[in-house]
Each structure stands twice: as structure tokens, then as C-alpha cells.
Amino acid sequence: MGQSVRDSNCIFCKILEKKIPATIVSEGSDHIAIRDVSPQAPSHILVIPSDHIADIREFKQSEALGKLFQTATSIAKLEQLESFRLVVNTGAEAGQTVFHLHIHLLAGRAMQWPPG
Ligand code: AMP
């Protein structure tokens, strides 16, 4: 397994490198999953790839992207979340604030549609 691509200014890279603390839900060679520091639902987990990739448009490996979604789904099962929402904010106008790809796993309350 090669070294992960990192950006020293990225908060999620710092979490991946354990330079800042986070509540870790799951960790593997290809990802880390943490509890969101500002939860928008009773369960709010971020599934973050190990490599620094700014957003989903930059993710060129479809197999790895599929695996990341499978990881999010496995975590939902482990957390016994019967119903959940996976969200990938892409670009500032869509609400992206951390420019290291991540999947939000949200659950534990009734969700609105369309999302705001
Ligand atoms: P987004 O707005 O889609 O880019 O999502 C970024 C998410 O990262 C937000 O929900 C933040 O609350 C969350 N976040 C930012 N910093 C941290 C941190 N240090 N630990 C956990 N979650 C964080």
C-alpha cells in the first residue's frame, strides 16, 4: 500500500494524521469515518477517503468511489440506522466547506425533501 496523498493545510488530512482529535467511528487504509463536530441529525458521520481529493469531480477511481459508498452503507448497518441519507456537497454554493471529499451519513430524524 503506497503513501496517502495529503494536504498539510487540510483539516481532514490533519484528522487522518491524528494531528487533531476526532471521534473515530471506523478506520481503514482507504478511509476514516468520524462524528461530525456540528451534527445536523442525531447520527451525523463523515466518511473521508485517506487521499486528499478536493471533491467528487476529482475522484477518478470509480471502484474506490464505490467502495467509499459501501463503507458508508456498512457503517449505517453497524450503527443500526434503519433509514439514512448520504450527502456529498460539491462546491461552495452546494454547501461544501471542507475541500477534501467526504460523504455525510445522516440519520435519526425525519428528513425534509427537497433539502434546503
Ligand atoms: P461540508 O460542509 O459538506 O464540506 O462538510 C464539512 C463538515 O465537516 C461539516 O459538517 C462540519 O461540521 C464538519 N467538520 C469540520 N471540522 C470538523 C472537525 N474538526 N471534526 C469533525 N467534523 C468537522
Side-chain angles (χ1 to χ4, degrees), residues 25-40:
V25 175
S26 133
E27 196 172 10
S29 59
D30 56 353
H31 82 283
I32 193 167
I34 61 169
R35 304 231 177 248
D36 198 295
V37 77
S38 173
Q40 301 302 309

Side-chain angles (χ1 to χ4, degrees), residues 74-90:
S74 301
I75 293 168
K77 193 173 179 187
L78 283 170
E79 297 269 311
Q80 298 181 302
L81 306 174
E82 292 238 337
S83 193
F84 58 89
R85 185 174 283 180
L86 302 179
V87 175
V88 182
N89 294 326
T90 306

Side-chain angles (χ1 to χ4, degrees), residues 6 11 24-25 36 38 51 58 72 84 96 111 113:
R6 295 277 156 77
I11 192 154
I24 298 171
V25 175
D36 198 295
S38 173
D51 282 331
E58 302 295 320
F84 58 89
Q96 187 175 7
M111 302 280 170
W113 194 262

Side-chain angles (χ1 to χ4, degrees), residues 11-12 15 20-22 34-38 44 46 89 95-98 102 104:
I11 192 154
F12 288 171
I15 289 172
I20 60 169
I34 61 169
R35 304 231 177 248
D36 198 295
V37 77
S38 173
H44 188 171
L46 303 172
N89 294 326
Q96 187 175 7
T97 57
V98 177
H102 50 283
H104 293 261

